Amino acid sequence: MSAHIRNTSSMDRRRFLQDSARGLTGCAVAGMGLAYFISDARALPAQALRPPGALSEPDFLAACIRCGLCVRDCPYDTLVLAELGEDGAATGTPYFTARDIPCEMCEDIPCVAACPTGALDKDLTNIDDADMGVAVLIDEETCLNALGLRCDVCYRVCPVIDEAITLERSHNERSGHHAIFMPTVHADKCTGCGKCEKSCVLPNEAAIKVLPRRIARADAADHYKLGWEDRNPLVDDLIDLPDRLPGPGTDNLVAPGGYLPATEGIPEASMDGGFNPGLKLPGTGGSN
Amino acid sequence: MSNKTKLPVGQEAIEEFGWMYAHRFLLLRRATQFFFLAIFLLGPWFGIWWFKGNLSGSMTFNFLPLNDPFITVQSFAALHWPETTALIGAVIVGVIYALIGGRVYCSWVCPINPVTDGAHWIHEKLGMQKGWQPKHNTRYWILAMVVAVSAATGTIAWEFVNPISMLHRGLIFGMGFAWAFVVAVFLFDIFVSRRGWCGHLCPVGTFYGLLGTKSVVRISAVKRSECDDCMDCFAVCPEMHVISPALRGKDEDTALILSPDCTNCGRCIDVCAMDVFKFTHRFDDTPAPGRVQRTRTQPATGASKAA
Ligand code: SF4
Ligand code: SF4
Ligand code: SF4
Ligand code: SF4
């Protein structure tokens, strides 16, 4: 009898373990499927811009509950919730398409005020600090201003005119005696509202487009020091380094034999970066 | 087994009380389900913006926030601490369902419920086999899986596929291809698994079930001694395993249906011609004598008509 009981209980345990293993495996497979689907579905197309104050995309998807309250409180019907299968953001999340309806940069930012979760960050209190994207003059071959005409529409409509977009004058090489007023976006001031893209007079696609910052901007090259920028210690140091000069053993073109009489071809000591007789020359030429 | 078992479900109740009365909770539920959709359509359709948002999160009269606590939990798992508004909304909803029964959400609010009820109706009409029936604890595994995936992907994971929000939000804000998820659930319930989605898989229902484990509002088989074994309650109940302990209990067993799986849908009340069931609260200790054992022995399983 007791053997029988032990037997059933061990069978029960076996059964339990089997069921658990089955449940666990099934759920692990389903979970991986779900995770894969998510990684696929969260791709955000370049033309889908998030509302003002939206957290960075990964944080946004942890926060936005897709309630659409931001959509409801936008007075210009700028925002929409993405529908499944269209070329928008992850299903049900809010975005806007600048060419359809741009953001009017409401001063009281009602969309941010409406968001219950903080997916749109309440720290954004001045709409000029919004960063929905960056406008890029994407087609310099069709932009009318770039062709030397005076369209100027994107510049005129910009709510941050003369800061976010300026018209940069240059010589018109084609006509020889006109100017080109190039619409030029300054990324630190551009809010990505999309008014310029909406207003671009070209049919269909705009020559200026708002793109998410992650696409529009390249990282600054911090391994290059820009010598014209003020107070750059590394550059200041570099200026003091000795210039490479002809001397014995070098392959300097000025002195094919590696030897030059001291009186010829040496820059004036007074010239900037010129020869400084007080310096000791490097033996085989440095690489600076 | 009584001869009445062979009659269509609810037949005696309809004959006894009339069709309307024998469907009163069903009709009420359809009305509330419609209500929770219609109030959000007042805005987009008629410009009356009393209720904004959807079931995931809403704002009523620009004053009362309501938020889905399950979504909030996933947000926590994804390491986002929501703002106070959403937290208050989630607590309000959570407390309400903890009191009235978590799965009241399923049968009185959720827009997928009419879909799966419809699928079940067709399933029965087609005389389908019950099909794949996952283990009872599968739903808890799935719930855990969803929270784990939220944590792993740093997203509110279930909202990428949740047919409830696809349907509710879709009807209010625009659907796209989201109807495919709803159709999938519908077909799944007809052809693959009887009562499969709501009864075994949906993590939202599971979450609300857990939330309502100690809920105050409960169904009681208080007049269980009058049960004549027509089996209609078992046939109509979406979670029929919850009925036996109460209905078949002895004198000393409680007549309350205490399983968190019970959706408080009230269909058992509708279909019972003997008026055995009623809505009550969990502290109700009205004496409910068990049935007098008949001379004819009853079959142990009560689900023959449903199975
Ligand atoms: S700032 Fe105004 S126009 Fe822009 S998205 Fe928000 S509510 Fe709409
Ligand atoms: S209001 Fe906030 S949580 Fe709701 S959809 Fe908009 S961004 Fe998402
Ligand atoms: S998107 Fe265009 S209009 Fe808007 S701030 Fe930037 S440059 Fe100006
Ligand atoms: S026991 Fe009654 S109220 Fe509960 S789910 Fe079943 S039919 Fe509905």
Side-chain angles (χ1 to χ4, degrees):
Chain A
M1 185 63 195
S2 75
H4 173 72
I5 288 171
R6 201 174 306 130
N7 218 344
T8 43
S9 79
S10 93
M11 288 218 339
D12 278 353
R13 189 179 318 127
R14 219 166 114 177
R15 176 114 170 234
F16 173 77
L17 288 176
Q18 273 180 356
D19 284 350
S20 306
R22 213 175 275 146
L24 201 61
T25 325
C27 282
V29 171
M32 285 190 288
L34 179 60
Y36 173 76
F37 179 80
I38 289 172
S39 72
D40 203 45
R42 69 171 153 198
L44 184 65
Q47 297 286 89
L49 303 173
R50 291 296 187 201
L55 303 177
S56 72
E57 189 61 13
D59 294 343
F60 187 78
L61 290 176
C64 173
I65 59 171
R66 314 176 183 203
C67 63
L69 289 173
C70 51
V71 173
R72 289 302 185 223
D73 280 8
C74 171
Y76 300 97
D77 290 338
T78 301
L79 304 176
V80 289
L81 291 189
E83 295 179 15
L84 190 67
E86 69 174 21
D87 207 14
T91 320
T93 57
Y95 75 103
F96 69 99
T97 309
R99 190 64 162 159
D100 296 341
I101 311 181
C103 168
E104 297 289 341
M105 289 177 61
C106 314
E107 227 152 85
D108 49 348
I109 330 181
C111 48
V112 173
C115 178
T117 60
L120 307 184
D121 196 342
K122 294 268 195 305
D123 287 345
L124 179 73
T125 47
N126 178 358
I127 189 67
D128 286 346
D129 297 336
D131 181 18
M132 299 169 264
V134 178
V136 177
L137 186 67
I138 213 161
D139 195 341
E140 298 189 356
E141 292 178 44
T142 52
C143 168
L144 298 177
N145 268 41
L147 293 174
L149 305 168
R150 288 305 296 273
C151 160
D152 293 4
V153 167
C154 54
Y155 164 76
R156 293 273 165 222
V157 297
C158 178
V160 205
I161 185 169
D162 281 328
E163 290 182 62
I165 304 192
T166 54
L167 294 178
E168 300 296 323
R169 198 172 59 184
S170 62
H171 180 57
N172 186 340
E173 297 290 350
R174 183 185 52 78
S175 73
H177 55 275
H178 296 96
I180 288 180
F181 289 86
M182 202 65 167
T184 307
V185 178
H186 304 278
D188 52 335
K189 288 290 188 320
C190 174
T191 63
C193 71
K195 294 278 286 179
C196 50
E197 176 175 344
K198 169 68 183 175
S199 320
C200 175
V201 298
L202 297 181
N204 308 318
E205 296 291 326
I208 189 165
K209 286 197 171 104
V210 177
L211 299 173
R213 201 164 274 266
R214 65 177 199 280
I215 296 175
R217 299 287 288 160
D219 288 333
D222 46 11
H223 52 291
Y224 282 97
K225 293 300 164 194
L226 308 180
W228 56 88
E229 284 185 348
D230 282 349
R231 300 284 89 219
N232 188 327
L234 185 51
V235 174
D236 291 345
D237 284 352
L238 277 175
I239 286 168
D240 286 344
L241 285 177
D243 293 310
R244 196 171 131 198
L245 289 170
T250 69
D251 55 356
N252 193 296
L253 290 177
V254 183
Y259 171 76
L260 203 66
T263 50
E264 282 177 40
I266 296 174
E268 297 276 350
S270 61
M271 278 172 65
D272 188 29
F275 178 60
N276 179 350
L279 271 180
K280 194 175 180 303
L281 294 181
T284 50
S287 56
N288 49 355
Chain B
M1 187 152 308
S2 102
N3 287 329
K4 290 181 180 176
T5 315
K6 305 200 176 57
L7 290 173
V9 178
Q11 185 66 35
E12 305 95 292
I14 294 172
E15 281 164 14
E16 184 86 17
F17 307 116
W19 193 91
M20 291 288 280
Y21 192 77
H23 289 84
R24 60 194 184 282
F25 283 108
L26 182 63
L27 293 171
L28 262 178
R29 281 174 41 218
R30 292 290 176 257
T32 56
Q33 284 159 349
F34 178 75
F35 174 79
F36 284 110
L37 183 58
I39 55 173
F40 292 108
L41 288 170
L42 282 179
W45 287 8
F46 306 107
I48 305 170
W49 293 107
W50 292 341
F51 309 90
K52 290 188 265 192
N54 54 41
L55 286 182
S56 309
S58 65
M59 184 54 85
T60 301
F61 297 118
N62 287 326
F63 165 71
L64 175 69
L66 295 174
N67 284 79
D68 185 332
F70 181 45
I71 293 182
T72 311
V73 165
Q74 292 172 75
S75 210
F76 284 140
L79 299 184
H80 174 76
W81 182 265
E83 281 211 11
T84 328
T85 317
L87 290 178
I88 293 175
V91 168
I92 295 176
V93 174
V95 167
I96 291 176
Y97 283 115
L99 291 176
I100 65 173
R103 296 203 67 199
V104 164
Y105 176 84
C106 299
S107 55
W108 294 80
V109 178
C110 178
I112 286 291
N113 176 271
V115 174
T116 53
D117 274 1
H120 184 248
W121 187 80
I122 295 175
H123 176 96
E124 292 295 298
K125 280 275 177 266
L126 294 178
M128 304 280 298
Q129 297 294 302
K130 63 181 167 188
W132 180 54
Q133 294 292 298
K135 284 270 179 319
H136 181 243
N137 58 11
T138 304
R139 50 165 62 147
Y140 297 106
W141 285 110
I142 293 178
L143 179 65
M145 177 272 282
V146 168
V147 177
V149 173
S150 290
T153 58
T155 62
I156 299 177
W158 195 243
E159 286 312 293
F160 281 85
V161 291
N162 188 358
I164 305 169
S165 21
M166 295 278 176
L167 181 58
H168 196 256
R169 183 179 61 228
L171 290 171
I172 296 166
F173 286 91
M175 175 102 52
F177 277 97
W179 54 262
F181 285 85
V182 181
V183 171
V185 167
F186 185 69
L187 296 178
F188 177 79
D189 264 28
I190 297 180
F191 296 110
V192 182
S193 174
R194 171 184 297 161
R195 299 253 188 229
W197 184 259
C198 301
H200 297 292
L201 302 182
C202 175
V204 181
T206 310
F207 176 85
Y208 279 101
L210 287 176
L211 199 60
T213 317
K214 295 285 171 217
S215 84
V216 177
V217 179
R218 301 268 71 164
I219 301 267
S220 170
V222 61
K223 286 204 261 169
R224 55 191 168 184
S225 56
E226 310 210 349
C227 171
D228 65 357
D229 282 313
C230 76
M231 299 297 170
D232 281 358
C233 53
F234 289 102
V236 86
C237 177
E239 300 276 355
M240 58 180 160
H241 61 273
V242 308
I243 295 183
S244 305
L247 184 64
R248 300 287 194 245
K250 303 205 180 61
D251 292 356
E252 63 276 16
D253 299 328
T254 176
L256 292 166
I257 294 177
L258 289 176
S259 165
D261 291 345
C262 168
T263 69
N264 278 1
C265 68
R267 286 294 282 148
C268 46
I269 310 181
D270 274 352
V271 298
C272 181
M274 309 310 290
D275 216 7
V276 166
F277 299 92
K278 70 163 187 177
F279 268 112
T280 179
H281 53 86
R282 76 180 304 119
F283 310 107
D284 186 352
D285 50 6
T286 320
R291 283 186 314 172
V292 192
Q293 204 54 41
R294 315 267 154 90
T295 39
R296 194 158 32 88
T297 46
Q298 305 297 329
T301 72
S304 52
K305 191 192 269 187

